[in-house]
Structures are given as C-alpha cells and as structure tokens.
Amino acid sequence: MLPAMPDAEGRPPPRTAWDATVPEPRRRLGLRSVSSQVARQRAPGRKQSMNEPDPGRLAATDAGEMTQEAPSRVSRRAFFKAAGLGAAGAALGVSTIASAQQRSWDEETDVVIVGSGCAALAAAAGALQNGAKVAVLEKGPIPGGTTAKSGGAFWIPNNPYMQAKGLADPKEDALRYMARVAYPQLYRADHKTLGLSQLGYELLSTFYDHGSRVTRTLADTGAMLSQQQLGATGLLPDYQGQLPENKRSVGRTLRPSDQDGGPGFGGDMVRQLSAFAEARGAPVRVDHAVTRIVVDDTRRVVGVEIGTPDRPLSVRARKGVVFGSGGFTQNAEMRKDFLRIPVLGGCAVPTNQGDFVKMAIEIGSKLGNMNEAWLQQEVLEEVLEFSSVPGGVFLLGGDSMIVVNKLGHRMYDEKHVYNERTRSHVTWDPSRAEYCNLYQFMLFDDHAIAYGGAQLMPPVGADMPAYIITAASWGALAAAIQERLASLADRIGAFKLDKDFVPTLQETVARFNDYARTGVDLEFHRGELPIEHAFHVPGANNDKPNKWMYPFAQTGPFHCIILGPGTLDTKGGPVTNTSAQVLDVHDRPIAGLYAAGNCAASPSGQAYWGAGGTLGLALTYGYIAGEHAATQP
C-alpha cells in the first residue's frame, strides 16, 4: 500500500466510506484523511514530485469509486459495531459435530469465503471459475477490507506485462532475491533451497510459478484488468533493487485498471473482483462475522457459524472454507504478545483483530511468522487517537530534513522505504537498557516545506497542523518536544530526550549540512537508491549536488513531527502449504480449511520486496485456495 494521490489532472482522490470513519480528535489535531492530505500538499508553481505522486504512476487511495457515495451511511461506530461481532474472545473458536449431514444448517454452499479484500475476492474468483457455488462473508459494514483503502499495487515476478515487453525475469534469479530479503539470516546462495526450509522454498517457488498465471487468468476472464505501475523514473523499482541478487529490479509491480482503463487503486481491485463474484451469484454479504469454524468428528472443516446484527447463522461448506480475513493489527493484546516491534496500530481496518488466529489455534493449526508485519511509521499523536489510521507515514518529505532518536542521532537514510525505516524503532541499546529509537523525531525547516511535504507538511503559508511542533531554535524545539512527550506519558510511558540531546543534535545537523553541500551522505548514503529516485522527485528549490539533501538554515524556525511504529497489517498466522491449505501442528493439511493474505503465515518472512508485496501474495494464494477448494470432491 502506498500514499494516496490525486488523479491524472491533479484532483484529489474521491472521499470514501473510510474517510467517514476518521475520528473527530484526528481533525482537532490537524490529522487529515489521506484524501484531504493529498488535496493540500502541492505547493503552487512547483513541479509535481513523487512526494505528491502522479496517480498514473504510483498507487494509493482510500476505498475509491466503489464506496465514494457511502460516507453518509458508514460511520466509525458502524466499524466498531462490526468489529464487536467477532471480537468477543469467548465466542471465537471451533464447534464439533458428528457429521455435516446430521446438522440443520441455515444455508449450504460449496465454498465459504471469509473476508472481502484482495485474498478473499481472489479466492472467490478462483472457486467460481472452477464451477463452485460460493458465499462471501464480510465482518465489516462495507466490502473490501484494508485492500479498499490501499493503492491496489500488487507485486508479481515474471508477470505477463514483463513477458510482453521482453523483460526477462528467470525463476532462479527471482527466487534468490525473494529468499535473500525474506530470510537474510538463512540465505545461502549455493544451497538447493537457498538456505530456506523445504516448505519455505516451495511457497516462494509456487508464488513465482502461479503469480503470472493468476494475473493473466483474472484479466482474460474479465475478473480484474491490470497494468504495470510506473514511478518517476519509469517502471517502478523494487524496494531492494540495489542488491546484487536482484537481477531484474523493475517491472514487477502492477496495479488494477480503473473503469476507463487507466491506472486504478485498491478500490478498483475490490470493485472489479466483487462485481465478478456478484454476477456469478456470490455478492459480498457485509456485517457477517464468522465466529466459529465447524468441524465433523474426523476433524474436517464442514462449515462456519456467523454473527450478524439480526441473528446467528450457520453455513455448510461442502468443499471448503477459505479465510482471507486480514491480520491482527487492531488487536492490542496480540500486537503485544507476538510482534517484535511495540506497534501502536496501523492502516488495517478496525475489524482486523486476528479472529482467524484464535479459531485456528483451537482447531490445532501450526502458526508461523507471527512476529512480522508489513511495517510503516505513524504520526504518533494520530495513532494514539485512533489505532486504525486512514494512512501512514510512507514518504518523508523535504530536503533539509532528518530523523533523529532521543539521543539526537540519525538512524537511517530518511528517503528509504517505509518498511525498512520502521524496523529501526525496535533497536535495543544494551548499555542504556532501553529502546532509544522507539519514538523518533522528524526535524525540518521552512526550506523543506517549500521543497515538498509528502503528506505530513503543509504547503507554504498554510497553518501548521497541531502535530507539528515549532520553535525558534534547536534548544527551544527540544524543550517543546519534551513537553509534548510528557503530555502523552499516560499512553507512551516516561519517554524523555537525553540530557545531551541539544548539543548532540547540533553536531548531527552540522554533519548533515556538510553532506548536503558535498552531495554525499557518508553515514547512510541518502539519495543513492533507485527506489528513492522513483518515489521522490526533487523540489525546484534545491541547487545542491544531491537533490535529496539540503543544508538546514542557520536560524529557525525549526519543526518536528514525532513518529511511532505501526503497520499496514500483520503477516503472521496459520502456516499453509502450496495449495493454501492450513497445516496442523504435525504439518498435515486440515481438510477443508484454507487461508491466504495477512491472516496466514506469509511466505515473505520479513521482506517487503516491492510496492504491492502484500497484495501480490494475497492475490496469488487467494486464487490458488479458491481453485483448490473448488476441485475437492
């Protein structure tokens, strides 16, 4: 998922049902919805940059056309009500019956699909195209899940568009890149499985083998048309395109087409796939929260129990149940218990509470990748007000801008991608026995605002949002930051700047200014990666050798935004095989049970291979799940 952006004529994305869930405290803070951020971020008279991306090139918006008339109907309360349908831990689990034939069911179908985002709707398409009767059940008040508010980008190696253009992407090379980034601690270039477990290797291999097929099939059958995604420099590079293992670093990111055949967003993916399902008798049924998996006395999954606003229902699944219900970003207890980073929330919709993980544990599923997530930074005060944020901190704008920790030190290349930056938040300082990077401070001056704001900064001359702290000097800014941290102590603890923060920061800024003048960042090599050039077109006011750096002004005002760790969504859950069948603790398939997307253990490990890494896997394995389930006796 990527930042929201205007359309090809510079108009903001349409207001959506998701925008309607933005809480009032967010507006009081000046924390705008993704759509409204985009509408205000371009300064007059300046060339459009990837800080304000071209929608024909880079994806992301909220729910898009599918729901643009919904704000009057869908409220924040409706999402919480829907979340409550499956949130009661005592209600989630497994029901055992003697046999499916002996139970009285409210409905019967071939394949039950749980969720209505990318993985779920791809599963519905796969099942329908193989002759199955399908029921699609969505916990929330609108279809689409987190996919609907995403950019819709999906990452597919050796995809049909690459093949048509003669962009070779051999399997061996693609697997080396995927394995190297997914499991760097295991990767061995000379090993037959590249150092991965046999299943881990097979899951990546299957993704390569079938991703292109699924993309082509969906397009050929009219289920979902798509196209390649462009960045400022042409075909969008992978997020780790600089690695020697990545032999073909551009062209793998795709996006759905819109109704006019142009580049679309996540809403267009949901619109196309849900329309395909509805036309074949499988409309998305909202406010239907699956609370229990039903198994017979052989432990085969034979159906589900559902909570609705009206009454509980039971649906028999003659061939299988496919979960594509999202991760557990909105479950604070699960975040605390499983994630390595103390995440505060993220982009996932409020209904992503890990319901499937709870049910899968009871049925005896093996869990995997539970400590990982598709990571992004958040404006701290935004995510504290509402853990399901409309959009996160994808790009850090400005050239005279750095991010420092509580000690006053930089930690990374600030123009690198969101997933990699967010990993720094969990760094442990053994000598100080604390997470010095847990909350971070994005510092910039007025020149950076004129250069380009990338979602967070206002245009020149506009009022500052309340989450931006401003002061006339570095010392005064540090005092204001500490005051703001103290005001949040009841939610973040006693996090304080180091006593030597100001002198250390002054040294850090002086070094950065030298790097900006020479054009070379000797510490973190800012401005050198292909993805940085694709995401960040420089502002017109930068005349330095490296267009992604500029010296800070000698005098204020200086500004700060406090950043915290968050996710797009988590990516751990039940382990699946290459047919997307859920495995038990003995690595045996649980008959009739499938999972894909963020509710399952992701084959990507810790990797974010490129834009659309989450949806590419979800689309491919969702389709495989529906296809396999439909062909069962």
Side-chain angles (χ1 to χ4, degrees), residues 128-345:
L128 289 164
Q129 289 176 346
N130 284 274
K133 183 180 178 182
V134 171
V136 182
L137 309 176
E138 166 57 46
K139 180 180 177 182
I142 58 174
T146 307
T147 301
K149 61 188 291 246
S150 79
F154 58 106
W155 191 88
I156 302 291
N158 194 37
N159 59 68
Y161 308 100
M162 297 178 74
Q163 296 173 29
K165 292 180 179 179
L167 299 175
D169 193 11
K171 183 174 181 178
E172 181 177 328
D173 292 341
L175 289 179
R176 288 184 187 280
Y177 171 61
M178 288 191 280
R180 161 68 175 82
V181 183
Y183 301 99
Q185 75 280 16
L186 300 177
Y187 178 71
R188 289 165 52 195
D190 58 350
H191 191 269
K192 64 179 182 179
T193 65
L194 301 176
L196 279 58
S197 69
Q198 187 64 38
L199 177 59
Y201 180 83
E202 289 174 357
L203 288 168
L204 295 184
S205 179
T206 299
F207 174 49
Y208 177 93
D209 290 341
H210 292 272
S212 182
R213 176 184 70 86
V214 170
T215 302
R216 187 185 300 278
T217 299
L218 292 174
D220 289 347
T221 59
M224 190 185 76
L225 303 179
S226 57
Q227 56 196 264
Q228 278 185 307
Q229 179 165 302
L230 302 178
T233 53
L235 292 176
L236 194 67
D238 292 338
Y239 285 174
Q240 301 290 353
Q242 79 282 2
L243 293 179
E245 290 84 2
N246 198 345
K247 305 299 184 184
R248 174 62 66 187
S249 63
V250 299
R252 292 167 172 153
T253 295
L254 311 178
R255 62 189 303 173
S257 298
D258 65 16
Q259 288 180 307
D260 299 320
F265 305 124
D268 292 291
M269 177 179 285
V270 173
R271 173 184 55 79
Q272 292 189 71
L273 290 172
S274 61
F276 181 85
E278 182 169 2
R280 287 152 183 81
V284 176
R285 298 159 65 177
V286 299
D287 293 322
H288 279 59
V290 171
T291 57
R292 300 185 75 80
I293 297 170
V294 181
V295 300
D296 64 19
D297 56 11
T298 70
R299 303 302 288 172
R300 177 183 179 85
V301 172
V302 294
V304 295
E305 295 177 1
I306 307 161
T308 77
D310 300 322
R311 65 187 181 92
L313 298 173
S314 61
V315 178
R316 181 185 178 186
R318 289 184 290 264
K319 294 177 178 290
V321 175
V322 182
F323 276 81
S325 50
F328 55 86
T329 289
Q330 302 308 331
N331 186 315
E333 183 178 18
M334 292 180 72
R335 294 198 309 261
K336 174 181 67 68
D337 289 344
F338 293 117
L339 295 181
R340 68 176 70 193
I341 290 179
V343 162
L344 302 168

Side-chain angles (χ1 to χ4, degrees), residues 398-464:
D399 48 359
S400 46
M401 177 279 299
I402 58 175
V403 178
V404 301
N405 63 10
K406 64 176 289 181
L407 305 178
H409 296 303
R410 289 175 69 207
M411 298 152 286
Y412 46 74
D413 170 4
E414 293 88 351
K415 298 298 181 180
H416 210 332
V417 295
Y418 41 95
N419 185 74
E420 308 310 316
R421 297 195 315 265
T422 309
R423 289 194 172 276
S424 69
H425 285 259
V426 77
T427 302
W428 178 254
D429 186 326
S431 61
R432 299 176 63 95
E434 61 179 327
Y435 292 107
C436 294
N437 301 352
L438 182 56
Y439 303 115
Q440 302 178 6
F441 309 95
M442 178 184 175
L443 308 175
F444 53 99
D445 62 12
D446 286 350
H447 184 277
I449 294 175
Y451 176 94
Q455 300 176 284
L456 302 180
M457 303 177 190
V460 174
D463 293 337
M464 288 286 186

Side-chain angles (χ1 to χ4, degrees), residues 26-37:
R26 189 174 199 267
R27 292 189 283 274
R28 291 200 305 270
L29 285 168
L31 299 164
R32 295 164 173 80
S33 71
V34 176
S35 300
S36 62
Q37 286 175 345

